[in-house]
Amino acid sequence: MALSFTAPTITRLEKEIADIQKLVRESETKRQKALSTINKLQRDQKLSRNANDLSNKITRENKLKKEIEEINGFLKQSSNQLADKNQLLTQLRMKTDATKNPTK
């Protein structure tokens, strides 16, 4: 790959990696908030005196658990994407370095 094509590709990959890392951080924050809410709901369920109130809390807890499962799937997928992109980025940088500084 010519150096003129490699530099923009490296820049694009760096941006994609940064974007994925940002999404991962946001997702992890969202997951932590959901876990915190689940813990609060579980404590509140023990204090619930009304069957309807208890049912609502259980329903909310189930929805949050499903959301956490989706977030975990996204995080796994993102982890794989990051690994692939980092590997590609490393390869491109090595090629760029080899092109700039050929060994004799």
Side-chain angles (χ1 to χ4, degrees):
M1 187 178 292
L3 186 59
S4 61
F5 293 113
T6 306
T9 304
I10 288 174
T11 303
R12 180 184 51 82
L13 275 173
E14 289 171 340
K15 184 184 181 320
E16 289 176 4
I17 289 169
D19 290 343
I20 292 171
Q21 289 172 335
K22 180 182 175 188
L23 287 173
V24 165
R25 283 190 303 273
E26 291 171 356
S27 295
E28 287 174 344
T29 301
K30 189 183 247 187
R31 181 176 63 181
Q32 289 302 322
K33 287 181 181 179
L35 287 170
S36 175
T37 303
I38 287 173
N39 288 337
K40 183 181 182 310
L41 286 170
Q42 288 173 343
R43 284 191 309 269
D44 291 347
Q45 286 173 18
K46 294 175 185 175
L47 303 174
S48 290
R49 301 185 193 280
N50 183 340
N52 190 30
D53 183 44
L54 180 60
S55 176
N56 288 338
K57 288 177 182 174
I58 291 172
T59 301
R60 286 180 51 204
E61 180 182 349
N62 289 336
K63 286 180 182 179
L64 287 169
K65 285 181 179 179
K66 186 174 181 179
E67 182 180 328
I68 289 172
E69 287 177 20
E70 291 171 3
I71 290 171
N72 288 339
F74 170 76
L75 290 173
K76 184 176 180 181
Q77 178 185 6
S78 296
S79 175
N80 292 338
Q81 285 180 343
L82 277 173
D84 292 343
K85 289 182 185 289
N86 278 323
Q87 181 181 11
L88 181 58
L89 182 61
T90 302
Q91 290 172 352
L92 288 174
R93 284 183 175 157
M94 288 173 54
K95 286 181 183 179
T96 301
D97 290 343
T99 305
K100 287 182 181 177
N101 303 320
T103 54
K104 295 181 182 179

XYZ file of all heavy atoms in Angstrom:
838
model
N 0.865 -1.163 0.000
C 0.000 0.000 0.000
C 0.911 1.225 0.000
O 1.827 1.339 0.789
C -0.892 -0.005 1.247
C -1.930 1.071 1.228
S -3.034 1.036 2.666
C -3.924 -0.459 2.370
N 0.652 2.122 -0.879
C 1.468 3.325 -0.990
C 1.296 4.195 0.241
O 0.256 4.199 0.887
C 1.076 4.100 -2.244
N 2.353 4.925 0.528
C 2.354 5.784 1.705
C 1.244 6.826 1.624
O 0.619 7.156 2.632
C 3.716 6.475 1.840
C 3.943 7.286 3.091
C 3.797 6.399 4.318
C 5.310 7.919 3.071
N 0.943 7.299 0.414
C -0.098 8.315 0.261
C -1.480 7.770 0.628
O -2.360 8.527 1.019
C -0.111 8.854 -1.169
O -0.395 7.807 -2.073
N -1.671 6.471 0.519
C -2.942 5.869 0.903
C -2.941 5.395 2.358
O -3.976 5.256 2.976
C -3.283 4.676 -0.005
C -3.565 5.074 -1.425
C -2.703 4.698 -2.442
C -4.671 5.833 -1.735
C -2.953 5.069 -3.748
C -4.932 6.208 -3.046
C -4.066 5.825 -4.050
N -1.765 5.141 2.877
C -1.658 4.603 4.223
C -1.965 5.647 5.287
O -2.669 5.360 6.259
C -0.245 4.019 4.454
O 0.031 3.085 3.420
C -0.156 3.325 5.792
N -1.454 6.853 5.128
C -1.651 7.899 6.137
C -3.129 8.200 6.391
O -3.555 8.231 7.553
C -0.890 9.160 5.752
N -3.951 8.409 5.344
C -5.378 8.638 5.617
C -6.069 7.427 6.240
O -6.971 7.573 7.069
C -5.979 8.942 4.241
C -4.839 9.295 3.370
C -3.632 8.613 3.935
N -5.626 6.239 5.872
C -6.206 5.026 6.447
C -5.875 4.935 7.927
O -6.733 4.592 8.742
C -5.687 3.772 5.704
O -5.966 3.914 4.315
C -6.342 2.523 6.222
N -4.647 5.276 8.283
C -4.244 5.273 9.688
C -5.072 6.289 10.468
O -5.580 5.991 11.552
C -2.736 5.548 9.830
C -1.940 4.338 9.352
C -2.365 5.909 11.266
C -0.442 4.536 9.302
N -5.233 7.467 9.910
C -6.023 8.510 10.571
C -7.469 8.062 10.760
O -8.057 8.246 11.831
C -5.977 9.814 9.744
O -4.617 10.208 9.570
C -6.745 10.923 10.417
N -8.027 7.442 9.733
C -9.413 6.958 9.811
C -9.540 5.873 10.881
O -10.476 5.883 11.687
C -9.864 6.411 8.452
C -11.295 5.880 8.446
C -11.680 5.262 7.108
N -10.750 4.293 6.611
C -10.706 2.999 6.983
N -11.539 2.556 7.882
N -9.825 2.180 6.463
N -8.588 4.954 10.912
C -8.618 3.887 11.914
C -8.486 4.450 13.330
O -9.180 4.002 14.244
C -7.485 2.890 11.659
C -7.780 1.794 10.655
C -6.512 0.992 10.366
C -8.875 0.875 11.138
N -7.603 5.425 13.502
C -7.450 6.039 14.821
C -8.752 6.683 15.277
O -9.131 6.582 16.442
C -6.317 7.070 14.804
C -4.952 6.438 14.707
C -3.841 7.448 14.475
O -4.126 8.583 14.014
O -2.672 7.101 14.747
N -9.445 7.349 14.343
C -10.729 7.982 14.674
C -11.772 6.925 15.015
O -12.521 7.068 15.989
C -11.218 8.856 13.527
C -12.496 9.605 13.849
C -13.000 10.381 12.663
C -14.257 11.162 12.928
N -15.260 10.523 13.740
N -11.828 5.856 14.227
C -12.787 4.780 14.495
C -12.520 4.139 15.857
O -13.457 3.853 16.604
C -12.722 3.722 13.396
C -13.300 4.186 12.067
C -13.132 3.166 10.956
O -12.620 2.038 11.214
O -13.493 3.492 9.810
N -11.261 3.928 16.173
C -10.900 3.340 17.468
C -11.330 4.261 18.600
O -11.914 3.817 19.598
C -9.388 3.034 17.522
C -9.070 1.850 16.606
C -8.925 2.757 18.950
C -7.597 1.610 16.369
N -11.072 5.554 18.446
C -11.472 6.522 19.477
C -12.984 6.541 19.646
O -13.494 6.604 20.776
C -10.949 7.906 19.128
N -13.713 6.476 18.539
C -15.181 6.473 18.601
C -15.698 5.228 19.318
O -16.606 5.311 20.150
C -15.792 6.554 17.196
C -15.596 7.902 16.532
O -15.276 8.880 17.247
O -15.754 7.987 15.290
N -15.128 4.085 18.998
C -15.553 2.836 19.642
C -15.234 2.884 21.136
O -16.054 2.488 21.971
C -14.896 1.614 18.972
C -15.446 1.430 17.554
C -15.141 0.346 19.790
C -14.714 0.384 16.732
N -14.052 3.395 21.481
C -13.682 3.493 22.892
C -14.637 4.413 23.649
O -14.998 4.136 24.789
C -12.238 3.983 23.035
C -11.224 2.944 22.624
C -9.812 3.476 22.576
O -9.582 4.667 22.398
N -8.843 2.574 22.721
N -15.058 5.483 22.998
C -16.018 6.405 23.628
C -17.353 5.696 23.860
O -17.956 5.809 24.937
C -16.214 7.635 22.749
C -17.180 8.641 23.319
C -17.386 9.823 22.389
C -18.452 10.742 22.945
N -18.823 11.786 21.991
N -17.831 4.962 22.860
C -19.081 4.218 22.997
C -18.980 3.156 24.098
O -19.938 2.942 24.841
C -19.461 3.559 21.672
C -19.977 4.480 20.578
C -20.144 3.705 19.263
C -21.290 5.116 20.983
N -17.829 2.529 24.203
C -17.623 1.512 25.239
C -17.707 2.158 26.622
O -18.369 1.635 27.526
C -16.273 0.782 25.038
C -15.868 -0.002 26.273
C -16.350 -0.133 23.826
N -17.042 3.305 26.789
C -17.096 4.000 28.084
C -18.529 4.398 28.431
O -18.975 4.227 29.569
C -16.197 5.245 28.072
C -14.726 4.934 28.218
C -13.909 6.193 28.439
N -14.060 7.196 27.393
C -13.355 7.245 26.275
N -12.434 6.342 26.035
N -13.564 8.201 25.391
N -19.261 4.920 27.440
C -20.654 5.307 27.676
C -21.503 4.092 28.034
O -22.356 4.163 28.923
C -21.220 6.012 26.442
C -20.621 7.373 26.194
C -21.024 7.971 24.855
O -21.721 7.288 24.056
O -20.638 9.126 24.595
N -21.276 2.985 27.353
C -22.040 1.765 27.625
C -21.726 1.211 29.006
O -22.623 0.734 29.702
C -21.747 0.706 26.567
O -22.202 1.140 25.305
N -20.465 1.266 29.387
C -20.097 0.781 30.722
C -20.730 1.649 31.808
O -21.176 1.131 32.832
C -18.572 0.751 30.874
C -17.935 -0.373 30.083
C -16.424 -0.345 30.087
O -15.821 0.701 30.442
O -15.826 -1.370 29.723
N -20.788 2.952 31.567
C -21.445 3.854 32.515
C -22.931 3.528 32.604
O -23.500 3.456 33.698
C -21.252 5.323 32.090
O -19.859 5.607 32.041
C -21.931 6.284 33.050
N -23.541 3.305 31.451
C -24.968 2.964 31.412
C -25.224 1.646 32.147
O -26.195 1.516 32.890
C -25.414 2.853 29.955
C -26.900 2.719 29.760
C -27.212 2.536 28.291
C -27.946 3.725 27.768
N -28.414 3.524 26.381
N -24.321 0.677 31.955
C -24.462 -0.613 32.623
C -24.348 -0.455 34.140
O -25.122 -1.036 34.900
C -23.410 -1.597 32.110
C -23.531 -2.975 32.751
C -22.575 -3.961 32.193
N -21.219 -3.533 32.467
C -20.143 -4.192 32.075
N -20.267 -5.277 31.362
N -18.943 -3.752 32.359
N -23.392 0.361 34.589
C -23.225 0.586 36.022
C -24.457 1.256 36.628
O -24.878 0.902 37.735
C -21.970 1.430 36.296
C -20.673 0.688 36.064
C -20.562 -0.555 36.919
O -20.965 -0.593 38.069
N -20.007 -1.612 36.346
N -25.038 2.203 35.910
C -26.248 2.862 36.402
C -27.403 1.873 36.490
O -28.173 1.887 37.450
C -26.622 4.040 35.500
C -25.723 5.235 35.657
C -26.149 6.373 34.753
C -25.220 7.562 34.901
N -25.599 8.672 34.016
N -27.518 1.009 35.484
C -28.580 0.006 35.492
C -28.392 -0.970 36.655
O -29.355 -1.316 37.348
C -28.616 -0.740 34.161
N -27.162 -1.389 36.891
C -26.891 -2.286 38.017
C -27.217 -1.614 39.347
O -27.793 -2.242 40.243
C -25.428 -2.732 38.010
C -25.039 -3.750 36.938
C -23.526 -3.921 36.874
C -25.720 -5.076 37.192
N -26.884 -0.361 39.454
C -27.190 0.388 40.670
C -28.699 0.488 40.879
O -29.205 0.313 41.991
C -26.574 1.787 40.574
O -26.937 2.562 41.665
N -29.425 0.749 39.798
C -30.881 0.846 39.876
C -31.486 -0.499 40.258
O -32.427 -0.565 41.056
C -31.459 1.338 38.535
O -30.861 2.594 38.210
C -32.963 1.514 38.614
N -30.941 -1.579 39.705
C -31.429 -2.922 40.047
C -31.236 -3.178 41.538
O -32.147 -3.688 42.213
C -30.726 -3.999 39.197
C -31.251 -3.961 37.767
C -30.937 -5.390 39.796
C -30.492 -4.870 36.808
N -30.069 -2.834 42.049
C -29.814 -3.041 43.481
C -30.806 -2.251 44.333
O -31.309 -2.752 45.338
C -28.376 -2.647 43.836
C -27.370 -3.636 43.305
O -27.687 -4.786 43.058
N -26.149 -3.178 43.109
N -31.075 -1.018 43.920
C -32.037 -0.187 44.655
C -33.440 -0.805 44.587
O -34.154 -0.861 45.592
C -32.065 1.229 44.095
C -32.968 2.165 44.851
C -32.953 3.547 44.224
C -33.806 4.537 44.954
N -35.150 4.121 45.249
N -33.820 -1.254 43.409
C -35.135 -1.886 43.253
C -35.251 -3.136 44.119
O -36.298 -3.397 44.720
C -35.401 -2.237 41.789
C -35.724 -1.079 40.861
C -35.721 -1.543 39.410
C -37.063 -0.463 41.227
N -34.190 -3.909 44.186
C -34.225 -5.125 45.004
C -34.380 -4.796 46.483
O -35.107 -5.480 47.202
C -32.968 -5.964 44.754
C -32.977 -6.622 43.397
C -31.672 -7.329 43.065
O -30.642 -7.094 43.688
N -31.721 -8.196 42.057
N -33.718 -3.739 46.925
C -33.890 -3.314 48.332
C -35.322 -2.825 48.562
O -35.944 -3.137 49.577
C -32.904 -2.186 48.676
C -31.489 -2.666 48.896
C -30.619 -1.567 49.485
N -30.669 -0.302 48.780
C -29.863 0.065 47.786
N -28.925 -0.758 47.380
N -29.982 1.238 47.219
N -35.838 -2.053 47.590
C -37.192 -1.517 47.719
C -38.256 -2.609 47.675
O -39.315 -2.477 48.285
C -37.472 -0.487 46.627
C -36.676 0.804 46.802
O -36.097 1.003 47.899
O -36.642 1.609 45.855
N -37.983 -3.689 46.943
C -38.950 -4.780 46.855
C -39.189 -5.410 48.225
O -40.297 -5.820 48.538
C -38.455 -5.846 45.873
C -38.549 -5.437 44.425
C -37.899 -6.440 43.496
O -37.659 -7.582 43.868
N -37.592 -6.006 42.287
N -38.157 -5.454 49.018
C -38.291 -6.036 50.351
C -39.202 -5.192 51.241
O -39.840 -5.710 52.155
C -36.914 -6.174 51.007
C -36.028 -7.167 50.302
C -34.653 -7.194 50.908
C -33.745 -8.120 50.107
N -32.363 -8.084 50.583
N -39.269 -3.893 50.930
C -40.083 -2.983 51.735
C -41.483 -2.770 51.165
O -42.311 -2.122 51.809
C -39.376 -1.623 51.857
C -37.967 -1.647 52.457
C -37.339 -0.260 52.365
C -38.004 -2.138 53.886
N -41.717 -3.291 49.966
C -43.011 -3.079 49.315
C -44.136 -3.750 50.088
O -44.037 -4.918 50.467
C -43.000 -3.625 47.889
O -42.189 -2.836 47.073
N -45.196 -3.001 50.289
C -46.362 -3.527 50.991
C -47.508 -3.792 50.001
O -48.403 -4.556 50.287
C -46.824 -2.532 52.053
C -45.758 -2.225 53.083
C -46.304 -1.336 54.184
N -45.284 -0.775 55.034
C -44.683 -1.404 56.030
N -44.982 -2.656 56.286
N -43.769 -0.801 56.756
N -47.426 -3.154 48.865
C -48.483 -3.222 47.876
C -48.059 -4.191 46.757
O -46.958 -4.089 46.222
C -48.701 -1.797 47.335
C -49.822 -1.688 46.347
O -50.233 -2.677 45.751
N -50.307 -0.482 46.169
N -48.950 -5.091 46.384
C -48.646 -6.071 45.336
C -48.398 -5.389 43.991
O -47.513 -5.795 43.229
C -49.777 -7.075 45.205
N -49.153 -4.343 43.698
C -48.990 -3.624 42.439
C -47.629 -2.941 42.388
O -46.943 -2.966 41.363
C -50.117 -2.592 42.272
C -50.141 -1.988 40.892
O -49.770 -2.628 39.921
N -50.586 -0.743 40.814
N -47.236 -2.322 43.497
C -45.938 -1.657 43.581
C -44.810 -2.673 43.398
O -43.842 -2.430 42.672
C -45.812 -0.942 44.930
C -44.525 -0.173 45.076
O -44.133 0.516 44.098
O -43.911 -0.255 46.155
N -44.941 -3.816 44.029
C -43.940 -4.876 43.905
C -43.849 -5.368 42.462
O -42.751 -5.540 41.921
C -44.292 -6.034 44.834
C -43.332 -7.216 44.823
C -41.935 -6.789 45.248
C -43.866 -8.315 45.730
N -44.992 -5.545 41.839
C -45.029 -5.993 40.452
C -44.330 -4.989 39.529
O -43.563 -5.379 38.633
C -46.475 -6.195 40.000
O -46.513 -6.527 38.637
N -44.569 -3.710 39.745
C -43.926 -2.666 38.937
C -42.410 -2.698 39.105
O -41.656 -2.553 38.134
C -44.463 -1.280 39.304
C -45.868 -1.056 38.827
O -46.329 -1.714 37.903
N -46.564 -0.125 39.451
N -41.963 -2.896 40.327
C -40.519 -2.930 40.588
C -39.874 -4.152 39.950
O -38.781 -4.075 39.400
C -40.258 -2.885 42.092
C -40.551 -1.516 42.674
C -40.372 -1.470 44.162
C -40.743 -0.060 44.652
N -40.747 0.042 46.088
N -40.556 -5.267 40.009
C -40.026 -6.486 39.386
C -39.960 -6.316 37.871
O -38.983 -6.718 37.234
C -40.873 -7.713 39.789
C -40.670 -8.016 41.280
C -40.517 -8.929 38.932
C -41.602 -9.071 41.830
N -40.978 -5.707 37.297
C -40.999 -5.458 35.857
C -39.851 -4.551 35.451
O -39.143 -4.812 34.461
C -42.346 -4.830 35.430
O -43.396 -5.725 35.797
C -42.385 -4.567 33.946
N -39.638 -3.472 36.195
C -38.520 -2.562 35.909
C -37.181 -3.284 36.034
O -36.271 -3.085 35.218
C -38.551 -1.362 36.850
C -39.652 -0.369 36.488
C -39.719 0.832 37.407
N -38.433 1.492 37.576
C -38.125 2.237 38.627
N -38.993 2.410 39.606
N -36.948 2.819 38.711
N -37.058 -4.121 37.051
C -35.820 -4.878 37.242
C -35.562 -5.797 36.049
O -34.431 -5.877 35.540
C -35.907 -5.696 38.529
C -34.660 -6.514 38.807
C -34.775 -7.364 40.054
O -35.725 -7.188 40.839
O -33.891 -8.218 40.238
N -36.599 -6.475 35.576
C -36.447 -7.372 34.423
C -36.043 -6.608 33.168
O -35.204 -7.074 32.390
C -37.725 -8.170 34.187
C -37.954 -9.215 35.264
O -37.009 -9.658 35.922
N -39.198 -9.597 35.470
N -36.624 -5.437 32.963
C -36.260 -4.609 31.804
C -34.806 -4.172 31.893
O -34.075 -4.184 30.899
C -37.164 -3.383 31.703
C -38.550 -3.689 31.213
C -39.397 -2.429 31.123
C -40.808 -2.746 30.678
N -41.653 -1.534 30.620
N -34.372 -3.806 33.090
C -32.979 -3.385 33.272
C -32.019 -4.552 33.053
O -30.948 -4.384 32.467
C -32.783 -2.778 34.661
C -33.390 -1.391 34.857
C -33.376 -1.005 36.336
C -32.653 -0.358 34.030
N -32.398 -5.733 33.495
C -31.553 -6.908 33.283
C -31.413 -7.210 31.792
O -30.326 -7.565 31.321
C -32.111 -8.118 34.018
C -31.878 -8.063 35.516
C -32.432 -9.283 36.215
C -32.157 -9.224 37.720
N -32.708 -10.390 38.424
N -32.505 -7.050 31.058
C -32.457 -7.268 29.615
C -31.560 -6.219 28.955
O -30.770 -6.542 28.063
C -33.870 -7.206 29.031
C -33.934 -7.566 27.574
C -35.354 -7.637 27.076
C -35.379 -8.035 25.624
N -36.732 -8.133 25.094
N -31.667 -4.980 29.412
C -30.815 -3.909 28.886
C -29.340 -4.220 29.159
O -28.481 -4.007 28.298
C -31.205 -2.574 29.534
C -30.423 -1.387 29.036
C -30.851 -0.095 29.696
O -32.042 0.057 30.044
O -29.979 0.776 29.864
N -29.045 -4.731 30.339
C -27.661 -5.078 30.684
C -27.151 -6.191 29.771
O -26.001 -6.155 29.323
C -27.555 -5.466 32.176
C -27.724 -4.214 33.037
C -26.226 -6.159 32.470
C -27.829 -4.484 34.521
N -27.994 -7.171 29.474
C -27.600 -8.241 28.554
C -27.255 -7.672 27.174
O -26.277 -8.089 26.555
C -28.709 -9.275 28.425
C -28.884 -10.153 29.638
C -30.048 -11.123 29.495
O -30.489 -11.384 28.355
O -30.511 -11.628 30.524
N -28.073 -6.727 26.707
C -27.810 -6.103 25.405
C -26.504 -5.317 25.441
O -25.717 -5.365 24.489
C -28.970 -5.194 25.020
C -30.248 -5.933 24.694
C -31.453 -5.020 24.532
O -31.292 -3.782 24.625
O -32.557 -5.545 24.300
N -26.274 -4.606 26.518
C -25.039 -3.827 26.663
C -23.837 -4.773 26.682
O -22.819 -4.503 26.039
C -25.078 -2.943 27.926
C -26.095 -1.820 27.740
C -23.700 -2.380 28.237
C -26.378 -1.009 29.002
N -23.950 -5.883 27.402
C -22.854 -6.850 27.449
C -22.544 -7.407 26.063
O -21.382 -7.587 25.705
C -23.168 -7.979 28.432
C -23.088 -7.532 29.874
O -22.455 -6.536 30.202
N -23.755 -8.266 30.750
N -23.582 -7.674 25.282
C -23.379 -8.139 23.906
C -22.680 -7.089 23.065
O -21.758 -7.399 22.292
N -23.111 -5.838 23.222
C -22.476 -4.738 22.496
C -21.011 -4.598 22.903
O -20.131 -4.397 22.054
C -23.223 -3.426 22.757
C -22.499 -2.215 22.241
C -22.492 -1.912 20.894
C -21.801 -1.397 23.115
C -21.806 -0.808 20.418
C -21.112 -0.296 22.649
C -21.110 0.007 21.302
N -20.737 -4.711 24.205
C -19.360 -4.576 24.682
C -18.470 -5.693 24.137
O -17.317 -5.461 23.786
C -19.324 -4.547 26.209
C -19.885 -3.286 26.859
C -19.942 -3.449 28.369
C -19.074 -2.066 26.481
N -19.018 -6.890 24.054
C -18.251 -8.010 23.498
C -17.944 -7.758 22.029
O -16.808 -7.939 21.577
C -19.029 -9.315 23.664
C -18.274 -10.529 23.201
C -19.040 -11.797 23.463
C -18.251 -12.992 22.974
N -18.956 -14.248 23.181
N -18.949 -7.319 21.284
C -18.773 -7.018 19.869
C -17.761 -5.878 19.695
O -16.879 -5.949 18.827
C -20.117 -6.632 19.250
C -20.055 -6.253 17.800
C -21.397 -5.770 17.275
O -22.347 -5.609 18.033
N -21.469 -5.529 15.990
N -17.864 -4.864 20.518
C -16.955 -3.716 20.438
C -15.528 -4.134 20.761
O -14.576 -3.649 20.145
C -17.399 -2.617 21.398
O -18.654 -2.121 21.024
N -15.388 -5.027 21.718
C -14.063 -5.517 22.081
C -13.408 -6.218 20.893
O -12.221 -6.017 20.614
C -14.178 -6.473 23.261
O -12.946 -7.048 23.556
N -14.181 -7.018 20.193
C -13.663 -7.703 19.004
C -13.289 -6.699 17.916
O -12.248 -6.838 17.269
C -14.683 -8.703 18.463
C -14.891 -9.876 19.393
O -14.040 -10.180 20.217
N -16.035 -10.535 19.277
N -14.141 -5.697 17.703
C -13.848 -4.664 16.702
C -12.570 -3.912 17.063
O -11.731 -3.648 16.189
C -15.000 -3.668 16.589
C -16.209 -4.181 15.868
C -17.318 -3.127 15.803
O -17.309 -2.153 16.546
N -18.256 -3.333 14.910
N -12.442 -3.559 18.339
C -11.244 -2.833 18.768
C -9.986 -3.655 18.538
O -8.967 -3.135 18.075
C -11.351 -2.446 20.242
C -12.133 -1.189 20.548
C -12.311 -1.027 22.055
C -11.465 0.037 19.967
N -10.050 -4.923 18.865
C -8.887 -5.792 18.670
C -8.508 -5.861 17.190
O -7.326 -5.736 16.836
C -9.173 -7.186 19.212
N -9.510 -6.028 16.319
C -9.248 -6.102 14.880
C -8.658 -4.798 14.352
O -7.682 -4.795 13.605
C -10.529 -6.435 14.110
C -11.034 -7.837 14.383
O -10.257 -8.671 14.906
O -12.220 -8.089 14.081
N -9.260 -3.690 14.751
C -8.795 -2.385 14.265
C -7.411 -2.044 14.809
O -6.584 -1.483 14.080
C -9.806 -1.291 14.607
C -11.081 -1.410 13.777
C -12.058 -0.308 14.066
C -13.362 -0.508 13.340
N -13.302 -0.309 11.913
N -7.155 -2.376 16.056
C -5.824 -2.131 16.611
C -4.767 -2.975 15.903
O -3.658 -2.499 15.652
C -5.804 -2.396 18.115
C -6.335 -1.232 18.915
O -6.104 -0.071 18.575
N -7.046 -1.521 19.988
N -5.108 -4.194 15.582
C -4.186 -5.062 14.868
C -3.899 -4.493 13.479
O -2.742 -4.425 13.053
C -4.757 -6.473 14.754
C -3.841 -7.448 14.046
C -4.456 -8.830 13.928
O -5.625 -9.030 14.189
N -3.647 -9.789 13.517
N -4.936 -4.071 12.778
C -4.770 -3.484 11.454
C -3.948 -2.206 11.532
O -3.059 -1.971 10.709
C -6.140 -3.210 10.821
C -6.150 -2.611 9.424
C -5.399 -3.515 8.442
C -7.579 -2.395 8.952
N -4.228 -1.389 12.533
C -3.495 -0.144 12.716
C -2.008 -0.427 12.960
O -1.138 0.233 12.381
C -4.089 0.650 13.877
C -3.458 2.007 14.184
C -3.586 2.943 12.991
C -4.124 2.623 15.407
N -1.722 -1.413 13.773
C -0.328 -1.782 14.040
C 0.368 -2.234 12.761
O 1.503 -1.840 12.480
C -0.270 -2.905 15.098
O -0.909 -2.442 16.286
C 1.161 -3.302 15.417
N -0.325 -3.033 11.960
C 0.249 -3.506 10.698
C 0.527 -2.335 9.756
O 1.585 -2.270 9.130
C -0.683 -4.500 10.026
C -0.787 -5.822 10.738
C -1.873 -6.703 10.146
O -2.649 -6.290 9.291
N -1.941 -7.953 10.626
N -0.428 -1.411 9.664
C -0.233 -0.264 8.775
C 0.919 0.621 9.246
O 1.694 1.121 8.437
C -1.519 0.556 8.682
C -2.655 -0.068 7.888
C -3.919 0.772 7.995
C -2.259 -0.216 6.427
N 1.023 0.811 10.546
C 2.125 1.620 11.073
C 3.472 0.953 10.810
O 4.454 1.631 10.507
C 1.937 1.859 12.567
C 0.880 2.901 12.849
C 0.755 3.189 14.311
N -0.191 4.274 14.549
C -0.818 4.464 15.679
N -0.609 3.664 16.711
N -1.651 5.471 15.817
N 3.506 -0.358 10.935
C 4.751 -1.072 10.648
C 5.129 -0.922 9.183
O 6.290 -0.708 8.848
C 4.623 -2.547 11.039
C 4.602 -2.786 12.539
S 4.256 -4.486 13.033
C 5.476 -5.400 12.136
N 4.148 -1.026 8.289
C 4.416 -0.855 6.863
C 4.873 0.565 6.578
O 5.773 0.787 5.771
C 3.159 -1.171 6.046
C 2.844 -2.625 5.959
C 1.606 -2.874 5.123
C 1.244 -4.331 5.090
N 0.033 -4.585 4.307
N 4.239 1.534 7.238
C 4.610 2.935 7.034
C 6.039 3.165 7.508
O 6.832 3.812 6.823
C 3.650 3.872 7.798
O 2.332 3.635 7.327
C 3.998 5.319 7.571
N 6.375 2.616 8.668
C 7.726 2.766 9.199
C 8.745 2.087 8.276
O 9.834 2.614 8.059
C 7.834 2.180 10.604
C 7.089 3.005 11.636
O 6.760 4.190 11.338
O 6.830 2.494 12.746
N 8.385 0.945 7.751
C 9.287 0.231 6.847
C 9.489 1.011 5.557
O 10.584 1.012 4.986
C 8.737 -1.164 6.540
N 8.456 1.695 5.105
C 8.548 2.497 3.888
C 9.399 3.736 4.120
O 10.202 4.118 3.288
C 7.146 2.918 3.399
O 6.351 1.753 3.247
C 7.218 3.645 2.078
N 9.231 4.363 5.269
C 9.975 5.577 5.576
C 11.445 5.280 5.880
O 12.318 6.053 5.524
C 9.352 6.281 6.801
C 8.053 6.957 6.504
C 7.536 7.662 7.753
C 6.210 8.334 7.502
N 5.687 8.957 8.719
N 11.700 4.173 6.575
C 13.063 3.824 6.992
C 13.426 2.439 6.504
O 13.503 1.495 7.301
C 13.171 3.874 8.528
C 12.791 5.219 9.097
O 13.139 6.235 8.539
N 12.068 5.207 10.200
N 13.660 2.277 5.210
C 14.008 0.935 4.716
C 15.386 0.522 5.243
O 16.322 1.303 5.302
C 14.020 1.097 3.204
C 14.208 2.554 2.948
C 13.662 3.268 4.167
N 15.448 -0.717 5.650
C 16.737 -1.250 6.130
C 17.504 -1.796 4.945
O 16.927 -2.370 4.022
C 16.522 -2.354 7.170
O 15.668 -3.353 6.625
C 15.922 -1.782 8.440
N 18.792 -1.640 5.013
C 19.624 -2.086 3.875
C 20.201 -3.431 4.113
O 20.419 -3.929 5.121
C 20.742 -1.075 3.646
C 20.194 0.246 3.208
C 21.310 1.220 2.959
C 20.751 2.580 2.571
N 21.760 3.540 2.344
